[in-house]
Amino acid sequence: MKNGIHPDYHEITYVMTDGSEFKTRSTWGKAGDKMNLEIDPKSHPAWTGVHRMVDTGGQVSKFNSKFAAFGLKTDTSVSGNK
């Protein structure tokens, strides 16, 4: 490697959302810095598989009632036999 062209690679500490910590090497920050994570594999639905649908104020039901008239209509007067 050429000297002077690469970023400093040093040890930092990651702090997970549950407070657990682990050390790794990174080019982020300075040696000994701590990176506090807001989202990590222990809490994010993409990794945990726990998904939830948040319907604050009945937004889904409000949408359904507002646009119900634009749905598919079935015409019972039309028969398949001519």
Side-chain angles (χ1 to χ4, degrees), residues 16-18 37-48 50:
M16 307 295 256
T17 56
D18 67 352
L37 301 177
E38 295 177 6
I39 298 173
D40 64 23
K42 295 179 181 181
S43 64
H44 194 276
W47 288 289
T48 61
V50 177

Side-chain angles (χ1 to χ4, degrees), residues 7-13 24-33:
D8 180 36
Y9 192 60
H10 49 269
E11 190 173 89
I12 65 167
T13 303
T24 188
R25 294 180 56 83
S26 176
T27 58
W28 178 85
K30 300 181 301 278
D33 280 353

Side-chain angles (χ1 to χ4, degrees), residues 53-70:
M53 183 174 168
V54 178
D55 184 17
T56 57
Q59 292 176 350
V60 174
S61 59
K62 190 187 313 182
F63 175 86
N64 288 337
S65 63
K66 183 175 182 179
F67 294 104
F70 294 107

